[in-house]
Amino acid sequence: MRTKFYIPILVTFLALILLPIRCKDIDFTEKLTPQTPLSIDANAGTWKPIVLTSNNQISVAVPTDVTSDTYKAELASIKDLQSKLTSAQRKAIEYWSGGGILRWNQIFRELVARYNLPPAPNADGSYPAPDAENPFSDPQFPFSNPPYAARAYSYVSAAQYDALKAAWFYKYQYNRSAPYKVDNTIQALMPQTDLPAYPSEEAVMSGAASDMLKALFPAALEEITRKAGEQRNAALWAGKATASDIAAGLALGKAVAALFIARAGNDGMKNAIGNKAQWDALKLNATSRGDVAWISLDLPSRPPMLPFFSNVKAWMMTPKNIVDVRPAAPPLATSSEMANEAAEVKYYSDNLTRERIAIVHKWADGVGTYTPPGHWNDIAAEYIRDARYSEVRAARAFALLNVALHDAAVACWDTKYFYFNLRPTQLDPSIKTGTGIPNFPSYVSGHSSFSASAANVLSYLFPGSAAEFSAMAEEAAMSRLYGAIHFRKDCMVGLDLGKRVGDYTVTFATSDGAN
Amino acid sequence: MKRFIYSFIISIASINAYSQTLTDGLLMPKKDLCVGFLYTHDQWENYWEGGLKRDNQNIGTITTQSMTFVANYGLSNKLNIIAMLPYVKTQSSSGTLAGMKDVQDLSVAAKYRILAKDFAASGFRAFAIGSFSTPLTNYTPDFLPLSIGLASTNLSGRLTANYHLNQGWYVNTSGAYTWRSNVKIDRPSYFSDGQLYFSDQVKMYDTFDFVINTGYYKNGLQADLYYSQQNTLGGGDIRRQDMPFVSNRMNFSKVGALLMYYLPKPKNLAVRASFSYTIAGRNVGQSTTVMGGLLYTLHFSKTNNVPNP
């Protein structure tokens, strides 16, 4: 009789003991294992640059000969370092063996997520502005919202890409082999290739990425500098580059970054926020057409997000191109067409099923995330990894993707603020949403524009997966309707706009010499 | 003399669907079954964003209502099996975010008396309680503060000690460690605790809670005052102006009062009401919670008058 009582107790306590044994820790990094590229793309020094006038615009000094004493001393230093590698150093080598470009892409997605927080309101209902001169304060600088992020991803990716093409140019001009090829007592702790080592591609990447990132995310200076230094050290410890390979690479990377930073200083971003008088004047963009002007649905009411981002310089499009692709006006808020659109949004608001919530949240990429452009980098990273690209070709893929995403941001913001129309909830306050309503006008959907431009470029790069990319872009677009924050028309026209923006990048890519 | 339990202190606390139960010093007698429904109304306007207390006009006041079915069966005079199942509905008073509603987590617990010592005018009891809870529906935990729960599967180990005077006064304390499973969210990455995670799996840190209470219990009347505290043993803070996240370090301290009374008629029917207020917290709302419900006891045993455990 007694024993019967003990059975449930026993079962419960056994379960209590067993549960913690089950591993709770999750693997949160994208899997990047060391691998040899399928091709080293020896001709990448001839590929078309994006900002540089030519791949040898920045000069790189002739390296010392491998027979010189200076070089031999560098080799001896590597051997010495390799004889006493710590486990932390080996970990760093393994980490960067996963691909420098892929790693940097992860790093800047993380930076975007960290800084993607809007300022909190002041007690009087106004909002402080993030201040580049005071990036550590509250609000932190930057607020890496989707346009800011699209621009940031594009600058870092394009700077790395141009810097690597320049590096490839000099690698084959000087043809100085990797330390592990010159001296067979030096171990190759990263996958071996026949790529010349001078200037070091790891150093080029680290220099271009870190200087560019420090300009974009000044408060993350310490972390960025540490990562960049670690990448260069990993190349040295791995027997892949000598101190002079690295010094030349770092100088080249930084020089290329300086050109991009100069461009960024004059690309119109400074004036993208505007001021109160300009924000008030935007209402005319809607009311002059007889439409209802957008109002912020944030509480307290927040100034519009980067209303003059439309004037920021695009990469593959001229200001005229941006105007040319601008879609026709949305239906007026008072029209029966808009009433139908709103009724459909209301339906999704009232019928937020679990399946649709999953789609809404999968693509929401709102506050505190790496944004929709980051999501497309996340998607692209897996394809780029699996394609086993060389560093320069991986850089090309991310650069093409991100210049298209930036241009989509410019064109989409141009449309949004040109029409300045309202969100579904402004038209019908009973429309509740499955995710936060972004603080800018409705037409056209940013997610749709971003996604279609990205899908277009990725379909060019990975034609075998074109159908997948299209399906993802459509799902991302529809997620905004399901979440009741966009009209269907915003999504459909946004997809079309994104596709057309992406075409400009694809046109560039077809003739850049990399095919 | 009425036999009943007062173990159902259900509290859908702030943004954490936290159900605290099994913290008292009593048991149902063998073959008694107590069933009931408890309605809970929880509301907060201020919340703690990490350590910073604030309000947020984009959500206004968050109201969480739940209706919980509860059942407690006396498997023996020493062992009770307890089950709970709430239906939860959330809403915000301001802003545009949609509220959510669904059946939440099923909890099943076994409460076993490990020690009973009687003195001339008082008694001491100790209990070990193991409980298990798991979501019965596929609700999303990634829409805080409007998610209906955190969606982890939990196992708890609890110890309770109770000292009472035969005239009805008692003091009681209880503490539990809860192991929580990882949860899965609908997105492929998330930023938490200073780190971007490229995963849809979220590690949920375990929790520890304890309660100290004192009161009077005799002749079908119970009046109880309590202090409770729950700490999450890890996890990040809500960042400035960010949304809350499922694995935030959610801590809170509450004070509360509970009343229960077995009506003279109809026989075996008890009314129960409680009130609690969050006095301190981290990454949770400052909740005011009221609860009210009815419990009915069924006696399946012929010998009705089992001694008070």
Side-chain angles (χ1 to χ4, degrees):
Chain A
M1 192 63 190
R2 251 183 99 80
T3 51
K4 170 170 123 188
F5 303 148
Y6 284 107
I7 293 166
I9 299 287
L10 197 67
V11 169
T12 308
F13 278 93
L14 266 179
L16 289 180
I17 294 161
L18 290 176
L19 186 74
I21 294 170
R22 196 178 43 75
C23 180
K24 278 178 81 165
D25 286 318
I26 49 173
D27 191 349
F28 56 82
T29 56
E30 283 161 320
K31 285 271 179 298
L32 296 176
T33 49
Q35 56 187 4
T36 321
L38 290 176
S39 159
I40 54 174
D41 288 310
N43 72 340
T46 66
W47 298 356
K48 197 198 282 182
I50 292 178
V51 161
L52 268 57
T53 49
S54 68
N55 289 330
N56 59 352
Q57 180 186 344
I58 292 155
S59 57
V60 172
V62 183
T64 54
D65 197 81
V66 293
T67 56
S68 69
D69 288 344
T70 322
Y71 187 80
K72 282 179 184 159
E74 288 186 0
L75 294 183
S77 153
I78 295 174
K79 282 182 227 176
D80 180 50
L81 285 167
Q82 287 196 333
S83 70
K84 45 194 175 199
L85 281 181
T86 64
S87 64
Q89 289 170 326
R90 287 183 187 280
K91 269 215 167 88
I93 293 170
E94 194 192 328
Y95 172 85
W96 287 102
S97 299
I101 287 295
L102 284 161
R103 287 297 182 203
W104 279 109
N105 190 269
Q106 290 179 345
I107 292 163
F108 53 82
R109 270 181 272 152
E110 178 159 343
L111 287 170
V112 167
R114 177 168 306 148
Y115 289 94
N116 182 14
L117 292 175
N122 296 317
D124 66 357
S126 64
Y127 288 93
D131 179 4
E133 296 303 322
N134 197 6
F136 299 95
S137 66
D138 174 26
Q140 60 182 358
F141 176 88
F143 166 24
S144 52
N145 51 47
Y148 189 95
R151 174 174 171 271
Y153 289 126
S154 72
Y155 268 102
V156 183
S157 301
Q160 284 191 316
Y161 178 41
D162 267 12
L164 281 175
K165 278 173 290 185
W168 251 248
F169 176 88
Y170 289 109
K171 279 172 182 289
Y172 285 93
Q173 171 153 333
Y174 299 129
N175 269 310
R176 188 163 87 175
S177 296
Y180 55 63
K181 295 270 181 195
V182 178
D183 183 336
N184 61 15
T185 65
I186 290 178
Q187 309 163 60
L189 300 177
M190 283 183 177
Q192 280 201 55
T193 68
D194 292 325
L195 189 67
Y198 182 92
S200 154
E201 67 271 26
E202 279 82 8
V204 167
M205 277 182 252
S206 75
S210 66
D211 278 14
M212 203 64 244
L213 284 171
K214 281 186 267 188
L216 293 160
F217 299 95
L221 179 137
E222 183 186 339
E223 167 184 5
I224 294 162
T225 309
R226 196 182 307 120
K227 284 283 185 197
E230 185 189 77
Q231 185 184 23
R232 293 191 293 274
N233 281 333
L236 183 73
W237 300 330
K240 204 176 174 186
T242 65
S244 57
D245 294 329
I246 287 168
L250 178 59
L252 176 60
K254 288 170 86 77
V256 172
L259 295 173
F260 279 78
I261 291 166
R263 182 191 188 275
N266 284 307
D267 68 356
M269 188 65 186
K270 273 185 212 151
N271 304 318
I273 293 177
N275 56 44
K276 178 97 176 42
Q278 288 177 297
W279 303 332
D280 291 342
L282 286 166
K283 286 178 193 145
L284 270 176
N285 293 5
T287 53
S288 63
R289 283 181 298 112
D291 208 351
V292 175
W294 173 83
I295 54 166
S296 168
L297 295 172
D298 272 21
L299 295 171
S301 175
R302 191 186 283 275
M305 183 188 290
L306 298 178
F308 304 101
F309 193 82
S310 49
N311 299 329
V312 171
K313 212 165 160 184
W315 295 99
M316 298 295 164
M317 299 171 77
T318 63
K320 184 180 178 302
N321 294 152
I322 296 292
V323 173
D324 288 345
V325 297
R326 183 191 297 151
L332 297 180
T334 50
S335 67
S336 63
E337 190 186 350
M338 200 52 133
N340 291 338
E341 292 267 335
E344 186 184 18
V345 178
K346 174 74 174 159
Y347 168 82
Y348 284 110
S349 170
D350 291 344
N351 296 279
L352 191 57
T353 62
R354 184 64 188 91
E355 292 69 31
R356 286 201 280 266
I357 288 173
I359 293 170
V360 171
H361 291 179
K362 174 180 172 188
W363 294 102
D365 298 321
V367 163
T369 71
Y370 51 29
T371 74
H375 198 154
W376 281 98
N377 276 267
D378 192 345
I379 291 164
E382 288 174 30
Y383 288 86
I384 290 166
R385 174 198 65 194
D386 294 345
R388 295 178 59 191
Y389 279 168
S390 66
E391 293 286 11
V392 68
R393 194 170 283 279
R396 174 177 180 264
F398 280 120
L400 294 175
L401 171 68
N402 286 311
V403 300
L405 283 164
H406 170 87
D407 290 2
V410 175
C412 176
W413 253 242
D414 170 81
T415 307
K416 280 181 180 293
Y417 287 94
F418 186 80
Y419 297 116
F420 209 67
N421 81 324
L422 39 59
R423 291 272 175 181
T425 302
Q426 187 184 338
L427 190 58
D428 177 356
S430 75
I431 292 175
K432 295 288 177 186
T433 62
T435 187
I437 301 181
N439 192 47
F440 38 79
S442 202
Y443 181 82
V444 291
S445 147
H447 278 59
S448 308
S449 312
F450 284 129
S451 298
S453 70
N456 188 352
V457 171
L458 292 177
S459 298
Y460 167 75
L461 292 168
F462 306 102
S465 303
E468 285 167 52
F469 298 129
S470 291
M472 283 189 253
E474 262 163 51
E475 190 182 69
M478 292 312 291
S479 77
R480 310 307 271 174
L481 174 62
Y482 297 160
I485 64 166
H486 268 295
F487 303 106
R488 179 182 290 272
K489 185 145 194 167
D490 299 339
C491 306
M492 293 299 137
V493 180
L495 283 172
D496 183 57
L497 174 65
K499 164 86 173 59
R500 285 191 288 154
V501 169
D503 285 343
Y504 284 86
T505 297
V506 171
T507 302
F508 170 87
T510 50
S511 60
D512 67 356
N515 298 297
Chain B
M1 218 166 76
K2 305 286 192 310
R3 309 283 166 236
F4 51 82
I5 50 124
Y6 62 98
S7 59
F8 300 127
I9 303 168
I10 313 296
S11 158
I12 305 300
S14 56
I15 52 174
N16 181 1
Y18 161 64
S19 65
Q20 178 196 327
T21 182
L22 305 159
T23 60
D24 66 13
L26 295 177
L27 283 173
M28 293 293 289
K30 184 176 179 181
K31 289 195 174 172
D32 268 16
L33 173 67
C34 174
V35 293
F37 282 95
L38 303 175
Y39 169 79
T40 308
H41 183 276
D42 176 289
Q43 204 166 56
W44 55 265
E45 181 179 7
N46 292 316
Y47 65 103
W48 286 274
E49 184 179 75
L52 176 71
K53 191 171 164 184
R54 61 167 293 180
D55 63 0
N56 190 331
Q57 295 176 36
N58 293 302
I59 49 175
T61 300
I62 298 288
T63 303
T64 304
Q65 299 177 83
S66 61
M67 182 61 82
T68 305
F69 169 75
V70 295
N72 183 353
Y73 181 68
L75 213 55
S76 78
N77 288 330
K78 282 185 171 180
L79 178 64
N80 281 187
I81 299 297
I82 297 157
M84 289 181 283
L85 184 63
Y87 179 88
V88 181
K89 179 173 185 285
T90 64
Q91 68 188 95
S92 59
S93 69
S94 172
T96 73
L97 294 178
M100 311 220 125
K101 53 182 185 229
D102 213 337
V103 172
Q104 199 214 37
D105 305 349
L106 172 70
S107 304
V108 181
K111 177 175 183 181
Y112 186 69
R113 197 181 74 200
I114 50 177
L115 188 68
K117 200 112 183 116
D118 285 315
F119 310 104
S122 64
F124 178 78
R125 305 282 181 269
F127 302 86
I129 302 102
S131 54
F132 169 82
S133 78
T134 198
L136 281 200
T137 56
N138 180 29
Y139 66 83
T140 178
D142 191 25
F143 196 52
L144 293 172
L146 290 158
S147 287
I148 60 163
L150 298 181
S152 61
T153 292
N154 302 340
L155 275 179
S156 253
R158 174 180 297 280
L159 288 173
T160 299
N162 173 279
Y163 178 75
H164 58 269
L165 302 176
N166 291 351
Q167 58 182 239
W169 298 99
Y170 64 84
V171 289
N172 189 82
T173 185
S174 180
Y177 188 93
T178 302
W179 288 271
R180 302 196 297 173
S181 71
N182 293 347
V183 300
K184 187 171 174 292
I185 58 177
D186 294 326
R187 48 190 168 133
S189 83
Y190 58 91
F191 190 93
S192 180
D193 205 9
Q195 171 103 45
L196 184 62
Y197 290 81
F198 294 106
S199 175
D200 60 0
Q201 298 287 317
V202 183
K203 176 178 174 170
M204 299 289 282
Y205 284 90
D206 297 338
T207 62
F208 180 77
D209 73 81
F210 73 89
V211 57
I212 302 168
N213 51 325
T214 185
Y216 177 83
Y217 156 57
K218 197 154 188 164
N219 298 334
L221 172 72
Q222 185 197 351
D224 183 273
L225 291 173
Y226 67 89
Y227 169 84
S228 71
Q229 186 175 330
Q230 178 176 316
N231 282 20
T232 304
L233 307 171
D237 282 333
I238 305 173
R239 296 183 291 162
R240 188 81 178 109
Q241 196 67 11
D242 199 359
M243 304 283 278
F245 188 62
V246 57
S247 68
N248 283 145
R249 183 190 292 264
M250 297 178 194
N251 297 343
F252 51 86
S253 310
K254 296 182 170 214
V255 290
L258 178 143
L259 265 177
M260 179 146 122
Y261 183 59
Y262 258 77
L263 303 171
K265 265 187 181 177
K267 215 179 158 210
N268 299 324
L269 184 67
V271 292
R272 185 183 177 82
S274 75
F275 170 87
S276 76
Y277 180 67
T278 304
I279 52 172
R282 190 171 190 90
N283 305 308
V284 297
Q286 183 164 30
S287 287
T288 301
T289 311
V290 292
M291 185 272 285
L294 292 173
L295 298 169
Y296 188 78
T297 306
L298 299 148
H299 307 283
F300 294 109
S301 173
K302 303 265 188 288
T303 55
N304 221 345
N305 288 327
V306 182
N308 205 3

